[in-house]
Amino acid sequence: MLDLQRLRALHAVSVHGTVGAAAAALGYTPSAVSQQITKLERETRTVLLERAGRGVRLTDEALQLVATAEELMAIVERAETGIEERRGVPAGRLAVAAFASAARGLLPGVLADLARRHPALDARLTEVDPHLSVDLVAKGAVDLAVAHDWDIAPLPAPAGVEHAVIGDDACDLLVPEGHPFAGRTAVRREELGGERWICQPPGRVCHDWLVRTLRAAGHEPDLVHTAEENPTLVALVAAGLGVALVPRLGRGPLPPGAVEVPLDPTPVRRLYALWRTGAARRPAIAEAVRVLRDRWPAVSARSNPVPQPPPGAAPSPARPPVPPDGAPVPGGCGGGGFLRG
């Protein structure tokens, strides 16, 4: 008889691409995952993984087993959801995925609240690129994901995935001290030509937004430095090496040498919670989403303070409130089409 845990291990390798990444997602060691798959190969009398460069490739037989694993995992999830629903309290393991700045700026408080209020709930966090989150939720690799959406990069709406708006996160232009923009109350996008830019690598949402926005304003961006993590972008700006567009969530206080300047209009990204439709009745999902949304106003107030204009300057207009789920998103950089096919 096929062992469900071994099928889970194979499914994780299929979703995450490598044994190491699968092990990290499952909370195991790579050796433990390899042993599970080796045992599964003995049980099925077939080869499931083949080496492909530095990674592995799933054989046709393995892909068939992965499809079976997804069906079995969905059945188990329905059974577990039914039991938890009857108990009426959040319990069991909850696998959560979040992009880097949400994992740093929002999730610590959320996970601490859940642990304090619900000792029977075992919530576990994995940092994941937002573009991967929807697929991980759809395939059952994680139970809940926190992702973000920009107007230029709406993500697809796969069948069986539901979502709720958490809130909006503003982004600012960071410049070195002494830069001509450093004393400004706001800078328009049309003024951004001729700058040396520090940004995330190609393929990331912030990188694509920057390139498209500057080109739409008639400027070809000069991308001089790229880095994956926002703290690295901030450090490069503070060293006087260029300017950067950096979201406020999880950014923390700016170091000496870096100055924040609002853009007009303000770029905004929207945060969402995602989960599978089959798990929508699970108390753990409902409670986690509730805590995410309840904590966001306080987190947003720390990350997105209302700028105070200098004496004599006209005050900035108030930002529009977050609309209800499914409502059109206001203009700016954070609108979007996320999961709104």
Side-chain angles (χ1 to χ4, degrees), residues 51-70:
R51 291 196 176 276
R54 296 183 178 179
V56 295
R57 183 184 70 83
L58 275 71
T59 64
D60 291 342
E61 292 82 0
L63 294 175
Q64 184 176 1
L65 282 176
V66 166
T68 300
E70 290 182 354

Side-chain angles (χ1 to χ4, degrees), residues 81-338:
T81 297
I83 292 172
E84 187 179 329
E85 186 179 22
R86 283 193 292 274
R87 291 174 178 169
V89 295
R93 180 174 294 191
L94 183 72
V96 182
F99 61 95
S101 53
R104 181 171 57 250
L106 174 61
L107 268 297
V110 170
L111 296 175
D113 277 359
L114 291 173
R116 183 175 60 255
R117 298 175 184 178
H118 308 288
L121 179 63
D122 181 15
R124 303 190 177 194
L125 172 66
T126 301
E127 185 178 306
V128 174
D129 185 273
H131 280 295
L132 303 177
S133 299
V134 178
D135 194 43
L136 292 178
V137 172
K139 291 183 176 180
V142 298
D143 301 306
L144 182 71
V146 177
H148 67 75
D149 168 48
W150 299 65
D151 56 350
I152 66 164
L155 298 185
V161 173
E162 299 182 18
H163 74 284
V165 175
I166 297 173
D168 287 346
D169 180 35
C171 303
D172 293 301
L173 178 68
L174 300 188
V175 302
E177 285 182 345
H179 189 282
F181 291 157
R184 298 274 295 274
T185 57
V187 173
R188 296 196 61 82
R189 299 173 187 181
E190 292 78 8
E191 302 178 74
L192 297 177
E195 298 295 333
R196 290 169 60 86
W197 286 93
I198 303 164
C199 66
Q200 292 185 332
R204 296 302 185 95
V205 179
C206 291
H207 177 283
D208 295 343
W209 182 90
L210 176 66
V211 171
R212 295 189 192 186
T213 298
L214 291 180
R215 287 176 178 168
H219 308 303
E220 184 62 30
D222 182 13
L223 309 179
V224 295
H225 303 291
T226 62
E228 291 280 354
E229 297 184 348
N230 287 336
T232 305
L233 304 182
V234 174
L236 291 169
V237 172
L241 299 175
V243 303
L245 179 72
V246 181
R248 295 176 185 172
L249 175 63
R251 190 173 71 196
L254 294 179
V259 178
E260 170 188 302
V261 184
L263 280 178
D264 181 17
T266 301
V268 179
R269 60 181 182 176
R270 174 150 292 176
L271 275 63
Y272 296 84
L274 315 170
W275 64 92
R276 287 180 300 285
T277 300
R281 304 189 322 275
R282 187 180 173 192
I285 297 290
E287 178 66 358
V289 173
R290 185 192 68 77
V291 175
L292 281 165
R293 302 184 79 176
D294 284 353
R295 286 192 66 89
W296 176 252
V299 171
S300 180
R302 293 195 302 269
S303 301
N304 299 286
V306 177
Q308 298 300 317
S316 301
R319 292 183 58 208
V322 175
D325 295 352
V329 181
C333 186
F338 185 92

